[in-house]
Amino acid sequence: MSISDTDAPISHFTHCHVGILAQLSRLNELPALLGPAALARKTAEQSIAFFGKGMYVHHQEEEKELFPAVRSSAHAGPERLRVEGLIDQLTAGHRELEALWESIAPGLHKVAKGQDASLDEASLSRLVQQYRQHALLEENEFLPLAETILGRNSNHMAALGLSLHMRHVPRFAAHI
């Protein structure tokens, strides 16, 4: 005990209660914080599961299946030049989006585990904005053009469908 504690022992208890009451106030707010914390973990987990693999698979399917099919079926001249320009733009966009994802993924893994983490909000915001623009470009320009080009020959559309189907069929090892 300090000299002030011996001179005014009752005030010592009063000062202790101030700290106790302040901590109780913070503790009382804890249940309200658990919901947002759980939602943050769940959102991070779902994003990792969705983008950590799915985005790469989607990009690969477009680059290995869709883009070559459209390119090879496009008419020479302005149509093919338009297709080539869009494919170049979309492929570059894939690499940018993947780089942005990889820059925020480590922070998301920490959030998913409930660890202290800071997210690069600027990169996260750029990922969201750029992916929205990328999807609009595909939906509004490339995919309608692809449908027109591949739709001129039903065999080309069927070949693309079969190719995509085969990518998703589990591979079995057969032994005789």
Side-chain angles (χ1 to χ4, degrees), residues 133-155:
Q133 290 171 349
H134 179 86
L136 283 174
L137 177 63
E138 282 189 23
E139 292 291 326
N140 293 334
E141 293 187 44
F142 187 77
L143 293 176
L145 181 60
E147 188 164 17
T148 297
I149 291 170
L150 295 175
R152 289 192 290 246
N153 184 330
S154 61
N155 290 336

Side-chain angles (χ1 to χ4, degrees), residues 166-174:
M166 294 306 293
R167 284 172 101 18
H168 295 278
V169 171
R171 305 219 188 272
F172 295 101

Side-chain angles (χ1 to χ4, degrees), residues 14 16-27:
T14 299
C16 286
H17 288 150
V18 169
I20 291 168
L21 293 173
Q23 187 59 46
L24 284 171
S25 291
R26 288 188 293 273
L27 180 61

Side-chain angles (χ1 to χ4, degrees), residues 26-149:
R26 288 188 293 273
L27 180 61
N28 194 43
E29 294 173 13
L30 186 58
L33 298 173
L34 293 176
L39 181 58
R41 283 191 307 276
K42 185 174 184 174
T43 300
E45 287 171 358
Q46 290 171 337
S47 296
I48 290 165
F50 187 83
F51 288 104
K53 182 178 179 191
M55 176 179 66
Y56 294 95
V57 169
H58 173 72
H59 292 172
Q60 186 179 43
E61 285 182 345
E62 288 179 342
E63 293 173 21
K64 301 267 189 235
E65 305 297 336
L66 178 62
F67 294 172
V70 175
R71 180 184 287 123
S72 68
S73 297
H75 292 310
E79 183 178 76
R80 183 162 299 138
L81 290 174
R82 179 71 179 137
V83 166
E84 289 293 341
L86 285 169
I87 288 173
D88 288 348
Q89 186 178 355
L90 292 169
T91 301
H94 289 169
R95 299 299 84 77
E96 290 173 24
L97 294 166
E98 290 163 1
L100 284 169
W101 169 255
E102 289 165 15
S103 75
I104 66 166
L108 287 174
H109 282 282
K110 287 183 179 181
V111 171
K113 293 176 184 175
Q115 299 173 345
D116 285 341
S118 62
L119 292 175
D120 180 348
E121 291 182 44
S123 292
L124 177 60
S125 180
R126 275 198 330 271
L127 174 69
V128 170
Q129 181 183 12
Q130 283 184 231
Y131 222 119
R132 285 180 175 153
Q133 290 171 349
H134 179 86
L136 283 174
L137 177 63
E138 282 189 23
E139 292 291 326
N140 293 334
E141 293 187 44
F142 187 77
L143 293 176
L145 181 60
E147 188 164 17
T148 297
I149 291 170

